Amino acid sequence: MFATVRDAFLSCLAGLTLVATPATAQTHFHPKGKMPSAATVEHNRAFGETLPMADDRDFEEQSRGFIAAPASGKIMADAGHVAWDVDRFAFLKEDREFGSLNPSLLRQSRLNTNFGLYEVIPGIYQVRGFDLANISFVRSDNGWIVFDPLTSRETARAAKALVDEHLGEHPVVAVVYSHSHGDHWAGVRGVVDQEDVDAGRVPIIAPRDFMEHTVSENVYAGNAMSRRLFYQYGVLLPASPYGYAGQGLGQGVARGDITLIPPTRIIEDDIETLVVDGVKMEFQNTPNTEAPSEMNTWFPDLKVLWMAENTTGNMHNIYTLRGAPVRDALRWSKYLNEAMWRYGQDAEVMFASHHWPRWGNERILEVLRGQRDLYANLNNQVLHLANQGVTINEIHNVYRLPESIELQWYNRGYHGSAEHNSRGVVNRYLGYWDANPATLVPLSPADSAPLYVEMMGGAQPILDKGSALFEEGRYLHAQEIVNRLVLAEPDNQAAKDLLADIFEQLGYQAENPGIRNSYLAAAFELRSGIPEGFAPSTVTPDVIRAMSTELLLDFVAIRLDSRKAEDMDFTINLVTPDRDEQFVVELSGATLTNIEGYQADEAELTIVIDRPRLEPVFLGLVSLEAQVEAGKAQVEGDTGVFDQLLSTLVTFDPTFEIMPGTKSTGD
């Protein structure tokens, strides 16, 4: 997904006079970048006084069990670039505050500088700080059961090498995917070989509906999600007190080879017990919590509870900024309640796919109960307010967490935030409309903005007022009017620069890293434009291979441009002999549909092709005719209708414009 990001970033910056100084220097990485204003410094100082700094238990838990770290903080990708570089966060270890960093986020980012191999208990180990997530190793009779093999082949492989070096070389005998997000499965080929999985020597265990949600969440809207992820995760920002300073869940996402081996053993029941190579595990399926497909694991013989990503050291997302189905906060709280009563009463250790373990039953129950209350309060109190007329456009300014919840470090907004999560709860139950008819069918922002600019007297009065509001530290008010000007006049660089300055200060003040990164990423693009040359994608060869044929055809239907298909009407029979599948694929009403298990009597075209031969055809890598000529497909009927279908398919632009006037015109 991010293999070419660093090159893209460097090429983007090639035309700028950048500050070539270490991250510790009192200089900004961008020539137009600003230092924190007096208002921002004061905001962050005052914010720090509200935090429970006396509670420093996280630091003891974070460092407990440390065994060793690699000599180098860099992990190279097989493609030759740097897949992971923890050394770029050296500035976080300086013993000082930064006016450009919210003190709560700074504390969390410092905690996330852990890097190396840690013992949870004898027989359970984690490698932390090699990627956004942790990779965990559970000792079995003959080797290791690996939980959540990171985001890339290279970081997972490096983690296994560190384990081999310090704990002895033992084979991986099973892999568990705790849930359907990529940082928990995409490095699987770094720890196991396909041959061992195919031979049944290494089972891949996952919760029910894993593949459906892994593919649908990463592919159907994958292009838009990848573009938005560049904002939430600050992918193009250099690590700096004025740029990227961590992601809350971890320091960032590795930029290596994304892989996927489909599960061979699905946990279907709500509660299901397996014994794998001598290790007894009880799985608790928790669908529609942190992920649509997710499960916790209880080790009854060890009194150890694995909470996947359902209980980590932060408030998580109900609504995630990159885009994903809104999660069910109430169900989440109920599954935590079940885990607390079913396992928590006996648990002596609790660990998870991010952050650090919790030891001792009292501490475990504290965290489980606190997180349960967090998500229950988000659901219940947001609906309490909504039922009194507070709308989706007001809720983030009205809803407040109780202090008894908010003043616990494990409930702070390091991934989700009360602001965007509260809006997510309203959206889940009531949708996006605030019930004001004026917002029911609104003008597009670019169409309404010129009217606002005209009524405010043109560009200069807006720039003057926006600058005055900026100087007063009223950044949200300043953004309200200057954003209108940028929408109306995308080529007005003075307006874009002022909006970038506003966004930058809001980013400096944010506790939530996704909010910080989004503001700073938008500021960067407003100043420098969208970098050319990078092509983020979640549609990798492994993901395509892992998709069911139905999901593949559904994705093709999303790529179809209805405007190009208005006059087309045809039916194709598709047969994949290697999978013993039959489909009817029909284009009618400028819409592509498919149904499995049927064949049309009067189809214009029948295609018989093994599934691996079909994928490159839809990806545009080889023509259907070439597959037929090579003896890899058989057709009967009019192949012209398939050419018509291909002519309607769009290759999505992975660098579409978010902020106006930031896309290169190529002139």
Side-chain angles (χ1 to χ4, degrees), residues 598-645:
Y598 293 88
Q599 293 283 270
D601 292 334
E602 298 182 2
E604 282 84 351
L605 174 64
T606 296
I607 304 172
V608 180
I609 186 171
D610 284 345
R611 171 54 197 276
R613 311 299 185 189
L614 178 64
E615 295 156 12
V617 173
F618 277 129
L619 291 174
L621 302 176
V622 63
S623 68
L624 177 61
E625 289 79 5
Q627 297 290 57
V628 172
E629 291 174 4
K632 298 175 181 177
Q634 295 83 46
V635 297
E636 180 180 337
D638 180 10
T639 57
V641 298
F642 190 79
D643 293 334
Q644 290 182 53
L645 172 60

Side-chain angles (χ1 to χ4, degrees), residues 65 94 102 203 225 267 422 427 503 511 540 549 574 597 621 628:
E94 295 180 33
N102 181 286
M225 187 182 294
I267 303 301
S422 59
N427 187 60
F503 282 169
E511 178 183 31
T540 66
T549 304
L574 175 65
L621 302 176
V628 172

Side-chain angles (χ1 to χ4, degrees), residues 139-439:
R139 191 74 171 92
S140 65
D141 288 346
N142 298 291
W144 296 110
I145 300 172
V146 172
F147 277 69
D148 288 5
L150 305 182
T151 309
S152 78
R153 179 200 306 261
E154 295 90 339
T155 51
R157 186 172 60 212
K160 177 60 165 61
L162 186 63
V163 169
D164 289 346
E165 178 183 354
H166 294 281
L167 301 177
E169 293 190 28
H170 303 284
V172 172
V173 300
V175 174
V176 178
Y177 300 148
S178 71
H179 63 287
S180 51
H181 293 151
D183 52 322
H184 303 268
W185 49 258
V188 64
R189 293 188 188 274
V191 294
V192 296
D193 294 325
Q194 183 76 52
E195 179 183 353
D196 289 330
V197 176
D198 292 343
R201 291 187 290 271
V202 180
I204 308 289
I205 303 167
R208 63 174 177 253
D209 301 324
F210 173 86
M211 284 305 302
E212 174 189 347
H213 292 297
T214 291
V215 171
S216 64
E217 190 165 315
N218 287 281
V219 174
Y220 286 175
N223 191 68
M225 187 182 294
S226 293
R227 180 69 176 102
R228 292 161 64 105
L229 183 146
F230 270 57
Y231 273 40
Q232 181 185 350
Y233 281 76
V235 173
L236 297 179
L237 299 172
S240 162
Y242 313 105
Y244 184 77
Q247 197 56 46
L249 283 178
Q251 293 303 66
V253 180
R255 301 167 179 176
D257 185 22
I258 295 175
T259 66
L260 175 60
I261 299 177
T264 61
R265 177 65 163 86
I266 299 295
I267 303 301
E268 294 285 359
D269 296 337
D270 291 345
I271 303 293
E272 190 169 332
T273 299
L274 285 182
V275 177
V276 178
D277 198 38
V279 178
K280 185 177 182 180
M281 297 177 285
E282 182 173 306
F283 298 100
Q284 177 199 18
N285 261 309
T286 62
N288 298 315
T289 51
E290 189 273 333
S293 172
E294 188 150 356
M295 64 185 183
N296 302 325
T297 307
W298 168 241
F299 299 87
D301 298 334
L302 303 172
K303 304 299 182 187
V304 173
L305 179 58
W306 161 264
M307 286 302 294
E309 201 167 325
N310 285 319
T311 301
T312 54
N314 57 265
M315 178 199 304
H316 217 294
N317 286 312
I318 301 303
Y319 169 74
T320 180
L321 300 180
R322 64 183 166 85
V326 175
R327 296 156 187 174
D328 189 338
L330 181 60
R331 178 178 290 221
W332 198 332
S333 73
K334 287 182 178 293
Y335 279 123
L336 291 179
N337 212 11
E338 180 183 48
M340 185 179 75
W341 286 101
R342 187 179 184 95
Y343 310 120
Q345 309 305 310
D346 299 318
E348 296 173 2
V349 179
M350 180 172 71
F351 71 125
S353 59
H354 295 276
H355 303 131
W356 41 91
R358 315 290 184 175
W359 287 270
N361 187 254
E362 182 179 351
R363 176 66 160 156
I364 291 167
L365 289 175
E366 174 200 342
V367 174
L368 282 174
R369 183 174 285 109
Q371 290 253 294
R372 176 201 66 183
D373 293 348
L374 166 67
Y375 297 114
N377 189 272
L378 269 166
N379 184 86
N380 299 341
Q381 288 306 300
V382 166
L383 293 181
H384 177 86
L385 293 166
N387 277 310
Q388 298 181 75
V390 180
T391 72
I392 193 170
N393 294 323
E394 300 165 326
I395 191 67
H396 55 288
N397 293 317
V398 177
Y399 172 72
R400 290 290 181 272
L401 282 165
E403 283 193 4
S404 57
I405 293 176
E406 185 179 39
L407 293 181
Q408 303 299 328
W409 289 115
Y410 48 76
N411 286 335
R412 302 297 300 189
Y414 301 127
H415 203 48
S417 74
E419 290 82 5
H420 67 262
N421 278 345
S422 59
R423 299 185 79 183
V425 171
V426 175
N427 187 60
R428 180 177 182 84
Y429 286 92
L430 297 174
Y432 65 89
W433 185 40
D434 63 0
N436 180 342
T439 64

